Amino acid sequence: MAVRAPKTYAGRFQDAEAKSPLEHEIASEQASALGRSARLVAARLEAYREAEASGEDHQIELDQAVEAVYGFLIQRELLGLRDRNAIIRDYDIPRAVLARLGTSSKRH
């Protein structure tokens, strides 16, 4: 029985590059959009943490963090990236955000 390694995300971009310039452009835009979304998540989580630490009302920052994380997770899923636990861990997503998303993690 032959065993193949799973196809990685990078492999998708390489496949698209090999197929056509249009598919390469689409894959490139997907990667750029995912990067923009990741930067937004980091910024919104930082704003939430700062507001929470200052003791002021942080409901707006919580709402914005939840919206950014939700969008990022959906975008990743549409691209076939379904490992939420890695994102929760890497971005250290607070419990309050996870609770609003209805997401759980063994770590949180």
Side-chain angles (χ1 to χ4, degrees), residues 3 13 20 22-23 27-31 41 70 75 82:
V3 178
F13 291 124
S20 76
L22 175 60
E23 289 173 333
S28 178
E29 182 53 36
Q30 287 174 334
V41 165
Y70 180 74
Q75 186 175 15
R82 291 179 169 70

Side-chain angles (χ1 to χ4, degrees), residues 35-48:
R36 288 189 300 273
S37 186
R39 287 188 294 278
L40 179 63
V41 165
R44 297 290 192 208
L45 289 173
E46 181 64 27
Y48 168 71

Side-chain angles (χ1 to χ4, degrees), residues 23 27 63 71 91:
E23 289 173 333
D63 292 342
Y91 286 86

Side-chain angles (χ1 to χ4, degrees), residues 17-94:
E17 185 175 319
K19 291 180 183 175
S20 76
L22 175 60
E23 289 173 333
H24 174 26
E25 184 66 28
I26 290 169
S28 178
E29 182 53 36
Q30 287 174 334
S32 294
L34 192 61
R36 288 189 300 273
S37 186
R39 287 188 294 278
L40 179 63
V41 165
R44 297 290 192 208
L45 289 173
E46 181 64 27
Y48 168 71
R49 288 185 183 105
E50 287 175 5
E52 185 180 41
S54 72
E56 62 188 52
D57 182 22
H58 54 274
Q59 189 62 43
I60 292 172
E61 288 81 5
L62 176 59
D63 292 342
Q64 291 175 342
V66 168
E67 185 177 326
V69 170
Y70 180 74
F72 184 54
L73 291 174
I74 295 299
Q75 186 175 15
R76 286 176 46 83
E77 285 185 19
L78 290 170
L79 293 172
L81 304 170
R82 291 179 169 70
D83 185 8
R84 288 182 171 212
N85 287 332
I87 297 305
I88 292 168
R89 181 190 62 243
D90 292 348
Y91 286 86
D92 194 23
I93 299 174

